[in-house]
C-alpha cells in the first residue's frame, strides 16, 4: 500500500510549497477540516505538505515487523520494578535461529539510522529546540524510508533511550556496573517519587504510540492489488497516515525530552514531578488517531474481503462451467478445507473423513441454515434409511448410487463464533444425521454462500442440489422429487422427472403414496374415502358425524382421515385438533406431526415440479387437483372424496352442508345414482348455486422464486387470469421465529 500513498503524495505535492518557506506553528487554534474521519486543523494541512516534501523513499524495503516486536518487548519490560511487575513476567522473545538471523540482517541495515535518530533527538532536546523542529529533523534524516519504516525506526531509537534508563533503575541495587553507570548518567534511582512520576506519566502515551505504530505497519502490509486510488474514500482516509506518523514521532520526541531533562538535571529533579499536561494531550491526540486508523483498517479489510470474494465467486462460476473428469475440484471449491484435511463427518461412524470419499459419486448437497424443521429432517432420514436398506447387498454393505452431504449455512459466519447457542444447535442437528455432514459451518466461505444464493437460489430454506460424478449440476433442487417419489427419482434429472410424471394421474394413490400404510390399504374399489382438513374443530365434528350418518344409511363403507393444515405456524393448534379427532373417534388422524408436514410438502412439491416443467396449464388434471386442495385449505375446511383410487370431487367447507341435508334432499337419489354421484350432483347443482364458488387463492413462499413462481396463473374454476399480490406473514412455530414473505395469487 506504500506505493498508493507515495503516488497520492506526488499528486498532492504538485504545485504546492510552504508559505514563505516558514514552518507553521501547530498550537494555534484554527478552523478544522475532516479527512476521512480524522479532523485536521488548517495548520496541520499545511504541515502535511511540508512532511510530504521530506518524503523521498528509495527502493529499499525494510522488514520492520520483527523489529517492531523487539521494540514492543523492550517497552513492555521498561518498568519501575523488575521483580513484581507484570511486565517482568512477559514471555521472552522467540529463540528461533532463523528469525534471529533475519532480525540481525534488518538491524545491520538500519542500526546506523536508529543511532542517528536517537542522538539527534537527545542532542536537540537538550539544546532547547522546539518539538516540532526536532520532529521535522527526524523526517529529514529518515527521508529515504517509507512511512512505516520512519515510525518503527524512531520508536526503536526511543526504546534505546527508554530501555537503558529503566535497565539502570532495575539493576542499580544488584549490579555495581549498573549502579556506577546510573550515577554517571544522573539517573535518579533513589528518588521513587520521580521514577513513579516518569512511569505513570508516560505509560498511557507509550501505549498509544505502540498502538498507532502497529496500525501504520499493518496498513503498510495491505496488498496494493486491492487498495487503489480508484476508491476515493479509501484513498482519502489512507492519505492521513503521514499525519499519524508525525504525531507519533512528535510524542516520541516529547518522551525522550522528558527523560533527558530528568537525567540532565540530576539531583535538581529529586523533588520534582513530571508535568503531565503535555503527555496527556499527546496521548489523547494519538488515541483519536489510533481509533481513526483502526477504523481505516476495518474498512480496508472489508474492502479487500469484498474484492477477494468477488474474484472467488467468478472463479467458482467458471469452475462449474468447465468440464471435469471427476467431482473433486468442485467439491473442494465448495467445502474449502484449508488446513482441514478431513472436512466431513461420516454420520454412521462419527469419524472425520476426507472429501475423497465422494470421488466420482453422485452427491446430494442438502443445503440449509440451522432453522431446518425437525419434521423435514425426520422424513428425509426415513427416505434415506429405507433407500440404504433396500440397496444393501449380500455382503451386508449398502451400495448406494449416491451420497448425501449436509451443508450447514450460518450467514454471517461471525455469528457462529459470537453465539455459542448456534454452535450447540449445529451439533444437536448433526448428531442424529446418518449421512455425511460438513464438519463446521466455518468451512463454507462467504463467496460460496453468495454463489449458492446466486446460482442455486438458496434462501435459507432447505434445497437439495444434485451433482453428478463429474461435478455437473444434475438438479438445482431435487427436494420436490424426493418428496414425491423418494429415491425412485434417481438420478434426479429433468428427464427422469418428466418420465415419472408421464406415469402419474390424479388418483388417491398419488396424493397419499408413501405417507401412511393405513390409508393406502383402504384404497380398493369398494371403499369410499374422505380426506379432509381445516382448523375448525366444530366444523370437523359436524362434517364427520354427517358423513358417517350418510354412509351408514346408504349402506356404504366409508373411511375418513384428517390431514391437518398446510400452514406450519398453526402447528400446535392442529396438533390439539388431531388429538381431539382421535380421542373422540371422529376419524383416522396422524399422531406424528411429521406426517402432516410431509402430506402438505408433497402437494407443494407436485405444484412446484409441474411449474418448473412448464406443465402449469388448465388442462393438466394433476395440476388442477393440487391447486384446488391448496386453495381450499386457505379458506378453512375442505374435503376430498374418492371411491377406491378414483377421486370423485375436491371441495371446500360447503360439503358439510351437503352432508347435513342428506335426509331431505339427495338421499332418494342414492339407489339410482349411487352414493358418490348423488352427493356430487346435489353439491354442485344445489349447494354451490346457493353459497357461490369461493375465490381461488395460492401462496408461494419467497424461497420458491427459482423458476417456481409462475408469471401468471388461471383460476381452476372460472379459468380467468388471477391477480398477483405480495404479502408478509410472521410465523411463530413453538420456539422458532421466522418472518415469511409470500406471493399470493
Amino acid at each position: 500500500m506504500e506505493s498508493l500513498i507515495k503516488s497520492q503524495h506526488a499528486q498532492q505535492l504538485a504545485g504546492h510549497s510552504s508559505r514563505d518557506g516558514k514552518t507553521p506553528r501547530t498550537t494555534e487554534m484554527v478552523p478544522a477540516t475532516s479527512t476521512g474521519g480524522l479532523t485536521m486543523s488548517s495548520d496541520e494541512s499545511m504541515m502535511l505538505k511540508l512532511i510530504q516534501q521530506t518524503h523521498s523513499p528509495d527502493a529499499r524495503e525494510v522488514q520492520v515487523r520483527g523489529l517492531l516486536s523487539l521494540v514492543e518487548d523492550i517497552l513492555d519490560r521498561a518498568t519501575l520494578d523488575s521483580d513484581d511487575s507484570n511486565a517482568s513476567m512477559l514471555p521472552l522473545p522467540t529463540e528461533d535461529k532463523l528469525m534471529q538471523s533475519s532480525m540481525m540482517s534488518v538491524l545491520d541495515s538500519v542500526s546506523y539510522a536508529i543511532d542517528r535518530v536517537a542522538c539527534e533527538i537527545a542532542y536537540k532536546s537538550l539544546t532547547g529546540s522546539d518539538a516540532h523542529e526536532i520532529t521535522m529533523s527526524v523526517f529529514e534524516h529518515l527521508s529515504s524510508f517509507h512511512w512505516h519504516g520512519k515510525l518503527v525506526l524512531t520508536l526503536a531509537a526511543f526504546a534505546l533511550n527508554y530501555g537503558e534508563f529503566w535497565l539502570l533503575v532495575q539493576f542499580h541495587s544488584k549490579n555495581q556496573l549498573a549502579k556506577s553507570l546510573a550515577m554517571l548518567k544522573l539517573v535518579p534511582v533513589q528518588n521513587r517519587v520521580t521514577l513513579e512520576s516518569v512511569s505513570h506519566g508516560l505509560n498511557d502515551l507509550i501505549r498509544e504510540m505502540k498502538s498507532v505504530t502497529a496500525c501504520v505497519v499493518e496498513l503498510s502490509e495491505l496488498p496494493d492489488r486491492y487498495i487503489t486510488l480508484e476508491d476515493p474514500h479509501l484513498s482519502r482516509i489512507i492519505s492521513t497516515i503521514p499525519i499519524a506518523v508525525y504525531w507519533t514521532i512528535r510524542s516520541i520526541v516529547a518522551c525522550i525530552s522528558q527523560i533527558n531533562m530528568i537525567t540532565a538535571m540530576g539531583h535538581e529533579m529529586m523533588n520534582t514531578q513530571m508535568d503531565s499536561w503535555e503527555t496527556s494531550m499527546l496521548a489523547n491526540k494519538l488515541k483519536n488517531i489510533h481509533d481513526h486508523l483502526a477504523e481505516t483498517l476495518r474498512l480496508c479489510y472489508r474492502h479487500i474481503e469484498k474484492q477477494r470474494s468477488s474474484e472467488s465467486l467468478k472463479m467458482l462460476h467458471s469452475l462449474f462451467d468447465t468440464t471435469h473428469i471427476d467431482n473433486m475440484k468442485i467439491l473442494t471449491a465448495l467445502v474449502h478445507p484449508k488446513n482441514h484435511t478431513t472436512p466431513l463427518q461420516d454420520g454412521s461412524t462419527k469419524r472425520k473423513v476426507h472429501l475423497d470419499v465422494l470421488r466420482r459419486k453422485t452427491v446430494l448437497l442438502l443445503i440449509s441454515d440451522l432453522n431446518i424443521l425437525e419434521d423435514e429432517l425426520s422424513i428425509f432420514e426415513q427416505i434415506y434409511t429405507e433407500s440404504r436398506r433396500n440397496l444393501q447387498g449380500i455382503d451386508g454393505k449398502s451400495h448406494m448410487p449416491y451420497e448425501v452431504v449436509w451443508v450447514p449455512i450460518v450467514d454471517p459466519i461471525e455469528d457462529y463464533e459470537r453465539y455459542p447457542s448456534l454452535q450447540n444447535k449445529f451439533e444437536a442437528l448433526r448428531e442424529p444425521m446418518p449421512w455425511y455432514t460438513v464438519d463446521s459451518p466455518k468451512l463454507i466461505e462467504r463467496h460460496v454462500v453468495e454463489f449458492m444464493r446466486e446460482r442455486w437460489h438458496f434462501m435459507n430454506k432447505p434445497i437439495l442440489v444434485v451433482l453428478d460424478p463429474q461435478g455437473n449440476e444434475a438438479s438445482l433442487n431435487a427436494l420436490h422429487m424426493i418428496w414425491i417419489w423418494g429415491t425412485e427419482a434417481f438420478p434426479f434429472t429433468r428427464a427422469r422427472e418428466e418420465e415419472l410424471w408421464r406415469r402419474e394421474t390424479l388418483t388417491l394413490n398419488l396424493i397419499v403414496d408413501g405417507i401412511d400404510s393405513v390409508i393406502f390399504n383402504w384404497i380398493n374399489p369398494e371403499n369410499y374415502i374422505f380426506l379432509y382438513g381445516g382448523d375448525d374443530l366444530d366444523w370437523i365434528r359436524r362434517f364427520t358425524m354427517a358423513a358417517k350418518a350418510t354412509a351408514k344409511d346408504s349402506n356404504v363403507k366409508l373411511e375418513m382421515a384428517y390431514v391437518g393444515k398446510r400452514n406450519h405456524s398453526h402447528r400446535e393448534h392442529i396438533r390439539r385438533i388431531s388429538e381431539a379427532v382421535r380421542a373422540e373417534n371422529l376419524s383416522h388422524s396422524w399422531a406424528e406431526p411429521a406426517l402432516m408436514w410431509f402430506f402438505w410438502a408433497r402437494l407443494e412439491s407436485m405444484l412446484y415440479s409441474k411449474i418448473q416443467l412448464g406443465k402449469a396449464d388448465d388442462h393438466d388434471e394433476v395440476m388442477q387437483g393440487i391447486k384446488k386442495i391448496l386453495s381450499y385449505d386457505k379458506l378453512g375446511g375442505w374435503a376430498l372424496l374418492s371411491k377406491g383410487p378414483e377421486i370423485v370431487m375436491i371441495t371446500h367447507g360447503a360439503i358439510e352442508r351437503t352432508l347435513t341435508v342428506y335426509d331431505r334432499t339427495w338421499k332418494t337419489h342414492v339407489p339410482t345414482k349411487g352414493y358418490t354421484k348423488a352427493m356430487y350432483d346435489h353439491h354442485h347443482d344445489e349447494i354451490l348455486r346457493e353459497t357461490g364458488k369461493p375465490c381461488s387463492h395460492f401462496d408461494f413462499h419467497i424461497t420458491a422464486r427459482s423458476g417456481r413462481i409462475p408469471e401468471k396463473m388461471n383460476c381452476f374454476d372460472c379459468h380467468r387470469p388471477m391477480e398477483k399480490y405480495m404479502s408478509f406473514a410472521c410465523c411463530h412455530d413453538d420456539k422458532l421465529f421466522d418472518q415469511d414473505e409470500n406471493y399470493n395469487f
Side-chain angles (χ1 to χ4, degrees), residues 522-540:
W522 290 345
I523 303 175
N524 67 69
E526 302 303 319
N527 280 355
Y528 296 87
I529 303 166
F530 260 128
L531 296 187
Y532 68 96
D535 57 2
D536 184 343
L537 184 56
D538 289 336
W539 179 90
I540 291 171

